[in-house]
Amino acid sequence: MKVKTISYVKKNASTLDLEEPILVTQNGIPAYVIESYEAQQEMENAITVLKLMTLSEQDKAEGKLYSKEHLLAGLL
């Protein structure tokens, strides 16, 4: 992750290379992270998959399972 000052980002906003995220500091303190839209979408998709996996593991632990036959019968 690249580290840039907020002044640098303001001056170079139109030409920032977002191939990797940029940590923006203000007075030496991390303030923002800038990343590409595609990277943000990938992160959101990964989080969604992890949430679904957690929910399915919880359902499995609680015995909330359906057999293939029961599922197919419900679809017809």
Side-chain angles (χ1 to χ4, degrees):
M1 181 178 298
K2 296 181 275 186
V3 178
K4 301 291 182 187
T5 64
I6 199 160
S7 300
Y8 176 88
V9 172
K10 285 180 182 179
K11 289 178 186 174
N12 300 290
S14 64
T15 60
L16 291 175
D17 176 20
L18 296 178
E19 287 189 24
E20 66 177 293
I22 300 172
L23 175 64
V24 182
T25 61
Q26 188 171 15
N27 299 322
I29 300 170
Y32 308 99
V33 173
I34 300 174
E35 62 184 352
S36 69
Y37 177 76
E38 291 81 16
Q40 175 62 27
Q41 289 300 109
E42 286 180 21
M43 177 81 71
E44 287 183 18
N45 290 341
I47 290 170
T48 299
V49 168
L50 288 172
K51 286 180 180 178
L52 289 172
M53 288 174 59
T54 300
L55 290 173
S56 68
E57 287 295 322
Q58 288 174 351
D59 285 348
K60 183 178 175 184
E62 295 172 4
K64 297 178 183 177
L65 303 173
Y66 291 100
S67 67
K68 180 176 93 174
E69 292 77 21
H70 187 255
L71 179 65
L72 291 175
L75 294 174
L76 300 176

